[in-house]
Amino acid sequence: MKLINRTGAFGRAAARVGFKGFDGAPHLILFIITLISASVLVAVAAFLIFGSLQAFNVIGPVELLFGESWRPTSFFNQAFGMLPLMVGTFLVSFLASIIAIPIGLGCTIYLAEIAHPRIRAFLKPAIELLAGIPSVVYGLFAMLILQGWVAQVFGLQHGYVALNGGIILAVMMIPIMVSLAEDAISAVPRELREASYALGATRWETMRSVVLPAAMSGILAAIILSIMRAVGETMAVLMAFNQTPILTLDPFSGVQTMTATIAIEMGEAAVGGLHYSALFAVGVVLFVITLLMNTIANRIMSRYAEAYR
Amino acid sequence: MSSIEVNNLNVWFDDKQALKGVNMTIPEKGITAIIGPSGCGKSTFIRSINRMNDIIPSCRVQGQILVDGKDLYGPGVDVTQVRKNIGMVFQRPNPFPKSIYENIAYAPRIHGTRDKKKLGEIVERCLRRAALWDEVKDRLDKSAYDLSGGQQQRLCIARALSIDPEIVLFDEPCSALDPIATAKIEDLLEELKDDYTVVIVTHNMQQAARVADRTAFFYLGELIEFGDTSQLFERPENELTENYITGRMG
């Protein structure tokens, strides 16, 4: 039996309210701090849901979620259909993903399995550093430089299109993906690689048939978490292309993402009005999407941890 | 069948010399045990025989190892070809996170056997050879991680046999196993020695005395003594060997 030392008022209070095994005041304080942090999640959810109730009531959930036009400020023709915004977010994130996933996985495999340790010791921190650059800096680059390249390569009048956002988001996704996926690959025990080499397998065969399958769930989680980054990004998206809520999957068109919608329109919406409430509803949808993706990533990761129990 | 002739083998890790001028000829078939205190180079030695040390960037090897008269370290030798002909079993059971079947079929498949029927035959033959078939034949599609430690190690032996080697190397194969599982592995070694040249590193002198036909004693990177097991344990010629086997050193 462990002796439990309950001292001070907090300790006695903790003992009284039945926190068995709590070790006095420090434990109670830490518990309260943690509780406050966790309750922020509940507070944010409640804040969004209460704010959006009006929109869901007046507009109706089906029209609000799947309506095809978003015209919040039109005087004769006002419409609050979120579909263009969701498709906009999807389009930009999708473009970013198809660029970032192959490049990110390529970098990961190179760093984890091919690069000399000295090269790796230099390159991996360099790539991880990219994750720390403020998104407004990426936005600036997309707005001032990348845009021109996109216009030139694809023969457009200007490059403020969804593809421009997709490219800059891909650049932002890669460091997260590489960092997490490389950790997953490095966590594959050396003994498994040795077993494969000892059977006469080449490095490539070992990587393809032993290391990657063993690390697959960690790699998938890395991909999902980096997609979350793209879905949630606001500033770089805002600066990369014209925000126009058109329902389209054309990468050479301007679109409007959910995050950008909130950022742009919150300032001009009358507090307590329908538009204001509809923006909260956009927030609810974003919240649900990220929560879902996070849950999926966690599930996959825990399954992966189990594989090496 | 294959004898192993080691000529003046030197191995360095960076500046540290792990093996110093080792000369020995391991005859074909039978069991040769390598004993010695920790850090004496016995693992380095066995890992030189299938060039596993090549994986470690800081490792440098000088000298010759001839198998069937061919130098494994000669110019133009393909490392994967070397390893394809020499099986290896490691200290801790290290099955792949795949099914039992896939663990055995892995190597034949990467070496070009695609035929399902043939793969099935190889899997059965190797599992029988490793005395595991009866225990797993009804659950070949189950994860290898569901097996006990001893079963996993026998699976690893079956996997090492799947490449149809003539030499099988065991690097302290029982160090992570309980006595019962160890006894099963030792029985298995007895059975394998008629068909394979078996080299086993062990930190357990009793194990060497029990299973090995010949024993080599390494100390500080040098081969001190090599001879018949009974002779080495009963009438060691070198004082260092005597000190080690009587427990005065190591």
Side-chain angles (χ1 to χ4, degrees), chain A:
Chain A
M1 272 297 283
K2 195 179 129 201
L3 277 177
I4 297 164
N5 174 26
R6 295 183 206 278
T7 51
F10 277 118
R12 284 191 295 278
R16 245 197 321 276
V17 296
F19 286 117
K20 291 218 174 77
F22 267 54
D23 187 7
H27 283 219
L28 186 65
I29 292 169
L30 292 177
F31 172 70
I32 290 170
I33 290 172
T34 313
L35 199 65
I36 291 171
S37 311
S39 60
V40 167
L41 180 77
V42 180
V44 167
F47 168 69
L48 289 174
I49 290 168
F50 282 125
S52 68
L53 281 180
Q54 187 195 357
F56 276 107
N57 278 333
V58 175
I59 302 160
V62 175
E63 169 61 22
L64 186 58
L65 294 175
F66 303 109
E68 290 177 18
S69 326
W70 180 264
R71 285 189 299 268
T73 50
S74 167
F75 187 72
F76 295 107
N77 212 358
Q78 201 180 35
F80 294 99
M82 224 187 282
L83 196 61
L85 311 182
M86 291 201 258
V87 170
T89 289
F90 168 79
L91 174 64
V92 177
S93 307
F94 176 77
L95 291 171
S97 302
I98 56 173
I99 299 167
I101 291 171
I103 295 176
L105 293 187
C107 289
T108 305
I109 289 170
Y110 174 77
L111 284 179
E113 293 289 310
I114 300 168
H116 188 279
R118 238 172 290 158
I119 295 177
R120 183 174 166 277
F122 166 73
L123 279 181
K124 197 184 177 199
I127 288 180
E128 283 171 343
L129 216 59
L130 286 175
I133 295 178
S135 55
V136 67
V137 175
Y138 285 108
L140 209 58
F141 177 76
M143 188 165 92
L144 298 180
I145 298 173
L146 189 62
Q147 174 270 131
W149 296 346
V150 169
Q152 215 162 40
V153 170
F154 295 97
L156 309 171
Q157 281 180 318
H158 64 78
Y160 297 112
V161 293
L163 181 64
N164 195 36
I167 295 172
I168 204 68
L169 283 180
V171 175
M172 298 170 77
M173 281 170 72
I174 286 170
I176 297 170
M177 197 190 309
V178 171
S179 176
L180 293 173
E182 207 272 340
D183 289 346
I185 290 182
S186 301
V188 174
R190 198 188 64 161
E191 288 81 8
L192 289 186
R193 293 187 172 86
E194 291 201 334
S196 176
Y197 292 138
L199 291 164
T202 61
R203 245 173 144 165
W204 171 241
E205 286 160 346
T206 301
M207 189 163 62
R208 199 189 50 200
S209 306
V210 175
V211 178
L212 287 184
M216 192 43 79
S217 42
I219 294 171
L220 280 178
I223 291 174
I224 294 176
L225 290 173
S226 66
I227 293 175
M228 267 176 71
R229 167 90 162 120
V231 170
E233 178 51 39
T234 310
M235 186 51 80
V237 164
L238 211 57
M239 296 166 80
F241 55 88
N242 292 337
Q243 299 295 322
T244 45
I246 309 167
L247 181 57
T248 178
L249 287 173
D250 178 7
F252 301 118
S253 162
V255 290
Q256 185 163 319
T257 65
M258 293 190 280
T259 49
T261 306
I262 298 175
I264 299 167
E265 297 179 7
M266 203 45 115
E268 61 192 54
V271 176
L274 191 58
H275 185 194
Y276 188 79
S277 178
L279 292 175
F280 273 79
V282 174
V284 170
V285 173
L286 259 179
F287 186 79
V288 170
I289 291 174
T290 39
L291 207 65
L292 267 179
M293 290 176 79
N294 206 355
T295 311
I296 294 170
N298 275 337
R299 281 275 167 82
I300 293 174
M301 294 252 248
S302 63
R303 221 180 48 198
Y304 156 80
E306 213 172 277
Y308 299 109
R309 66 192 188 270

Side-chain angles (χ1 to χ4, degrees), chain B residues 20 97 120 123 138 149 184 245:
Chain B
K20 297 168 188 165
V123 170
D138 300 324
K184 280 189 182 159
I245 60 177

